[in-house]
Amino acid sequence: MKLAASVQNLVKEYHLGGEVVHALRGVSFDVPEGDYVAIMGASGSGKSTLLNLLGCLDHPTSGSLFLGDENIAHASDDRLAELRAGRIGFVFQSFNLIPQLTVLENIEVPLYYQGRLSRRDRERCRELAAMVGLAERLNHRPTQLSGGQQQRVAIARSLVNDPFFILADEPTGNLDSATTEEILALFDQLNASGKTIVLVTHELDVGKRARRIIRLRDGRIEAVIANATPGKATADAAAVPIASQS
Amino acid sequence: MLIWIRTFRLGTKSLMLHPLRSLLTVLGIFIGVASVIWLLAIGEGISRKAQEQIESLGATNIIVRTIKPPSDQITTTSLLLQYGITRADYERLSQTIPTITRAIRIRELRQRFTRGGYEVDGRLVACTPEYKDMLRLELDRGRFIQDVDLEQAKNYCVLSAGVAEKLFPYEDPVHKIIRVEESFYEVVGVCKPKMPSAGIGGSMAAQDFSNDVYIPITTLWWRIGDVVISRRAGSLEGEEVQLSQITFQVDNVKNVIPTAEIIKSLLAKYHRMEDYGVTVPLELLEQARITRMMFMIFMGLIAAISLVVGGIGIMNIMLATVTERTREIGIRRALGAKRRDIIRQFLVETIVLSTVGGLTGILVGFTCPLFTSLLKSGVETFLPGVYGALPDIVKTMRPVIVPASLPLAFGISVAIGVIFGLYPARRAANMDPIEALRHE
Ligand SMILES: Nc1ncnc2c1ncn2[C@@H]1O[C@H](COP(=O)(O)OP(=O)(O)OP(=O)(O)O)[C@@H](O)[C@H]1O
Ligand SMILES: [Mg+2]
């Protein structure tokens, strides 16, 4: 099975004055293509740190991090930027659309930084907008959209560069339960069509939609819990722990 | 190239989000650029005018004029004060210096001219026929003084346009008689009007030719002589002056400066008082060139300061913009923007601001001649007192747009955009994307 990402003994420390904050203390796991992983854990356990490393936004202190075949632990800033533009899709808690751009232009941004924006690319942006149900709102600005609609734009944007995986940091944290359901249904649909998703959440209900839950505690993987029947139908079913790491 | 065009579109879009802010920022550069062009145009106009005036004196001329010596140099106690350049000076200089091709002497006196019931206070200029060429006088009617008049010391006179009009408002003055103090002269010619010349420093004061009457110099010597008696505070005072001015023409521009040196040293030998002044238009021309350069540098400096102020305005706004758009920068970085993409984005915005300022500044710079002439006529009609007090050179000056100032101003404005935009842009590019994304 091909791996979208492979993390080995990943360590991240922050140095604050004389103090060292151990955000990640050696984390290892693989993300096969087509996987849907939820990262859970208490506040401060290192979830966002891990996601930022997977998203090429930061360098790890040590360990290795493969995206496809490439170890990016020591890649240059420019290389990381290229990977973000070309192979990674981000979905954020606070949507993070650019306010002065329209829906369509927001979806185009990663392509812009890849230096490509052909007629076909543009057509694809339209298709993605239609897929997330915003075909009628292409020329609206983010402030004219509801939270759920903004998050759909963000999801469309995360798909535009055909990424290794979609990284979502609490994508439903700012949404009400009905809208949360819509967005999660969209993720289910994407995963069913073969997209790899890594998602950070506090809510077990959200985590249970994934195929696996990686539980972090104090910078280490506490448990990896497989979900035999991911998706909406079995969201309430009990999860079975399959492995435990110290 | 394509990426620059796209960045340009993006930049203009971002700028249009805050139209007033962008406008005010542009204004700083606009004023700077317009003032570069204006100041240089006015500077050029003034210096060209000065140059013209100096050139009208003749580049190959050397002018020696009598001036009244300062009172502390006057040693005689007699009532008759003798000073100034003499006929002997004239002979000596014109005979002994081979580079001098022509020497034209004149004697001027303030006199009252009368005819019938009309009278004018003016200047009696006793001269030789060459005087007409030297001053480029043009005859309206009759003829100028001729050599025969000089030989015979004829009682002939030629009137300037102003005197002719005042003494003969309704008649042709030619062959009529006018009175100058106690003597009568027959009018043989009338000149066309001549513009006054401005003073250009040295012993050359501004000259007004409108109240002149020209007579042969020999006639003056016979009829009036060198001594002029004036009544002052009850006592009589006399001055004896032989010549008011000698204009030497030198054969070649190259010889002007050395000839002037010889003239100065010869005169110094025979004059104990500073009762003469030597004006060399060529030297003035050189001086004017230097003055012009200094003036341009000075004006340029002022304009540069206003441009720098505009640049600081741009930098200020861009720093605020960068802070305000931290979140956007974080998003762009997360979506794949490299540092240089961010630098490019903000740099393009500042360059757009400064270029728009530069281009509008250049357009308005072109209105300088129109605007100054409007301003002049405005001052002339509404503040005649102020206008009268202005120096001639300002009144007659016409701004000349220096062609080089256009690319210069444009280049400077773009450079200012780059220089003052670079720091804010680098600041934006060096933000940590994760921190920037967290920014509220
Ligand atoms: N830039 C930073 N500098 C210093 N310490 C940091 C930095 N970012 C994160 N940390 C620390 O690293 C640890 C892990 O932080 P992280 O943001 O990954 O937690 P989290 O699991 O995402 O928490 P939450 O659920 O609250 O979002 C925390 O102790 C945090 O204080
Ligand atoms: Mg977090």
Side-chain angles (χ1 to χ4, degrees):
Chain A
M1 187 165 24
K2 270 190 86 177
L3 294 181
S6 172
V7 175
Q8 279 148 33
N9 209 17
L10 202 62
V11 173
K12 179 69 188 176
E13 293 166 0
Y14 293 104
H15 296 263
L16 289 177
E19 241 177 286
V20 181
V21 180
H22 300 273
L24 293 176
R25 298 166 187 265
V27 170
S28 306
F29 66 95
D30 292 337
V31 182
E33 277 183 2
D35 203 356
Y36 184 176
V37 185
I39 299 173
M40 297 191 67
S43 186
S45 57
K47 304 183 296 292
S48 297
T49 304
L50 180 56
L51 207 73
N52 288 338
L53 289 173
L54 278 173
C56 300
L57 284 169
D58 209 350
H59 291 100
T61 308
S62 69
S64 52
L65 171 50
F66 284 88
L67 293 192
D69 302 327
E70 184 179 358
N71 184 359
I72 55 133
H74 306 289
S76 69
D77 278 357
D78 278 0
R79 178 63 190 145
L80 291 184
E82 273 169 28
L83 285 167
R84 292 196 300 268
R87 304 312 305 267
I88 290 164
F90 280 103
V91 179
F92 302 93
Q93 178 174 0
S94 46
F95 322 134
N96 279 340
L97 302 178
I98 298 174
Q100 63 263 37
L101 302 183
T102 64
V103 166
L104 191 62
E105 289 165 340
N106 263 290
I107 296 174
E108 286 168 354
V109 171
L111 299 180
Y112 177 88
Y113 289 116
Q114 281 180 55
R116 50 180 258 216
L117 203 54
S118 64
R119 196 176 289 272
R120 251 193 57 223
D121 289 326
R122 193 150 270 199
E123 194 46 48
R124 194 170 133 68
C125 293
R126 280 176 208 281
E127 281 166 21
L128 285 171
M131 192 199 83
V132 298
L134 290 168
E136 311 297 315
R137 324 279 313 241
L138 291 181
N139 294 316
H140 285 80
R141 309 235 170 229
T143 47
Q144 298 166 316
L145 301 177
S146 73
Q149 287 169 329
Q150 290 189 47
Q151 199 59 300
R152 286 152 183 275
V153 177
I155 291 170
R157 181 179 69 185
S158 74
L159 291 167
V160 76
N161 53 7
D162 193 20
F164 283 123
F165 40 62
I166 296 167
L167 299 175
D169 196 346
E170 308 207 28
T172 58
N174 283 4
L175 302 174
D176 63 25
S177 55
T179 323
T180 297
E181 182 45 44
E182 282 177 31
I183 296 298
L184 289 177
L186 193 52
F187 277 135
D188 288 346
Q189 191 190 324
L190 288 172
N191 184 238
S193 72
K195 298 285 173 204
T196 314
I197 300 171
V198 179
L199 167 149
V200 165
T201 182
H202 271 120
E203 293 163 72
L204 194 57
D205 283 348
V206 175
K208 279 176 180 168
R209 305 290 282 258
R211 292 171 190 265
R212 294 190 295 153
I213 296 174
I214 293 177
R215 193 178 287 280
L216 287 185
R217 187 194 173 113
D218 206 10
R220 290 194 175 90
I221 295 183
E222 187 187 41
V224 179
I225 305 159
N227 185 356
T229 48
K232 169 69 178 156
T234 55
D236 303 325
V240 188
I242 53 160
S244 201
Q245 292 178 328
S246 52
Chain B
M1 194 58 226
L2 195 65
I3 193 150
W4 285 98
I5 295 172
R6 274 195 203 140
T7 315
F8 170 78
R9 276 206 218 117
L10 181 72
T12 46
K13 205 179 232 176
S14 301
L15 293 173
M16 290 313 279
L17 281 183
H18 302 283
L20 182 64
R21 184 201 278 189
S22 302
L23 190 78
L24 291 175
T25 314
V26 162
L27 207 60
I29 294 294
F30 163 80
I31 291 172
V33 167
S35 62
V36 167
I37 295 172
W38 279 48
L39 291 178
L40 289 181
I42 291 172
E44 179 74 6
I46 289 181
S47 60
R48 277 209 192 168
K49 195 78 205 171
Q51 199 147 334
E52 264 171 35
Q53 284 174 351
I54 294 167
E55 272 164 5
S56 75
L57 290 174
T60 53
N61 285 358
I62 297 167
I63 299 158
V64 180
R65 273 185 79 82
T66 289
I67 49 181
K68 195 166 179 171
S71 51
D72 59 331
Q73 290 190 8
I74 298 171
T75 47
T76 73
T77 49
S78 97
L79 281 175
L80 189 68
L81 176 60
Q82 286 180 311
Y83 68 91
I85 35 184
T86 60
R87 284 180 285 273
D89 287 330
Y90 170 80
E91 297 298 335
R92 214 170 8 244
L93 294 169
S94 57
Q95 300 305 318
T96 56
I97 305 176
T99 51
I100 291 175
T101 51
R102 196 146 76 147
I104 301 159
R105 30 198 182 140
I106 59 168
R107 170 86 173 100
E108 300 163 358
L109 284 175
R110 309 289 328 170
Q111 298 277 285
R112 172 162 298 172
F113 312 119
T114 49
R115 204 271 316 183
Y118 305 102
E119 66 173 44
V120 190
D121 281 321
R123 187 166 70 156
L124 185 70
V125 182
C127 58
T128 53
E130 298 105 318
Y131 188 72
K132 169 173 168 285
D133 301 334
M134 192 179 81
L135 276 191
R136 301 199 184 90
L137 293 173
E138 285 176 58
L139 269 287
D140 189 25
R141 262 161 296 168
R143 61 173 180 84
F144 200 69
I145 310 290
Q146 290 174 349
D147 283 325
V148 275
D149 307 336
L150 229 64
E151 277 161 28
Q152 300 170 10
K154 286 279 194 195
N155 278 7
Y156 287 160
C157 72
V158 175
L159 305 185
S160 64
V163 173
E165 198 179 301
K166 283 165 201 149
L167 294 186
F168 298 92
Y170 309 113
E171 304 161 60
D172 181 357
V174 178
H175 302 308
K176 304 272 177 359
I177 303 293
I178 66 161
R179 208 182 87 178
V180 181
E181 307 282 309
E182 274 79 41
S183 325
F184 293 90
Y185 293 85
E186 183 188 343
V187 177
V188 293
V190 177
C191 293
K192 286 187 179 161
K194 180 172 166 64
M195 288 292 290
S197 78
I200 41 130
S203 56
M204 298 300 293
Q207 292 194 66
D208 175 9
F209 303 98
S210 64
N211 286 331
D212 285 355
V213 170
Y214 310 102
I215 60 169
I217 195 160
T218 46
T219 312
L220 178 120
W221 290 333
W222 285 113
R223 301 215 145 227
I224 301 175
D226 299 331
V227 179
V228 178
I229 307 289
S230 59
R231 252 174 272 272
R232 192 170 294 163
S235 69
L236 290 178
E237 241 174 55
E239 288 185 353
E240 187 182 333
V241 175
Q242 297 187 3
L243 290 173
S244 302
Q245 175 179 326
I246 310 172
T247 302
F248 296 99
Q249 275 178 4
V250 178
D251 55 356
N252 193 317
V253 179
K254 277 189 302 206
N255 295 332
V256 170
I257 305 290
T259 308
E261 292 307 317
I262 298 171
I263 291 174
K264 281 178 196 166
S265 64
L266 268 177
L267 284 172
K269 207 178 279 177
Y270 290 95
H271 287 254
R272 281 172 295 115
M273 298 180 289
E274 283 175 34
D275 54 356
Y276 63 93
V278 180
T279 303
V280 186
L282 191 69
E283 270 176 1
L284 292 176
L285 216 59
E286 292 293 318
Q287 260 169 31
R289 232 165 255 155
I290 293 167
T291 315
R292 172 183 168 189
M293 218 162 70
M294 303 278 289
F295 193 73
M296 289 299 213
I297 289 172
F298 182 68
M299 288 282 183
L301 211 65
I302 293 176
I305 289 171
S306 60
L307 272 172
V308 166
V309 171
I312 291 172
I314 284 200
M315 179 141 143
N316 192 11
I317 281 297
M318 287 316 288
L319 283 175
T321 303
V322 164
T323 308
E324 202 175 75
R325 286 160 66 184
T326 301
R327 185 66 167 267
E328 181 196 329
I329 294 162
I331 298 170
R332 289 185 179 279
R333 293 278 274 138
L335 297 181
K338 296 177 181 147
R339 283 181 209 276
R340 61 169 171 274
D341 292 319
I342 301 294
I343 289 187
R344 184 187 298 120
Q345 181 184 345
F346 284 93
L347 211 51
V348 162
E349 283 189 29
T350 46
I351 292 174
V352 166
L353 286 175
S354 65
T355 322
V356 168
L359 289 176
T360 48
I362 286 174
L363 284 183
V364 170
F366 271 116
T367 66
C368 181
L370 182 75
F371 188 81
T372 41
S373 67
L374 281 180
L375 190 71
K376 254 190 275 177
S377 59
V379 172
E380 196 175 1
T381 42
F382 296 113
L383 299 165
V386 174
Y387 188 79
L390 287 177
D392 286 333
I393 199 153
V394 174
K395 280 190 240 176
T396 53
M397 179 274 299
R398 199 161 292 169
V400 178
I401 290 176
V402 187
S405 72
L406 303 184
L408 183 79
F410 185 73
I412 289 177
S413 64
V414 172
I416 291 236
V418 173
I419 291 165
F420 288 91
L422 211 52
Y423 175 68
R426 292 179 62 102
R427 201 149 121 162
N430 288 335
M431 285 179 183
D432 176 36
I434 299 173
E435 302 264 334
L437 277 170
R438 267 204 293 260
H439 192 265
E440 281 312 310

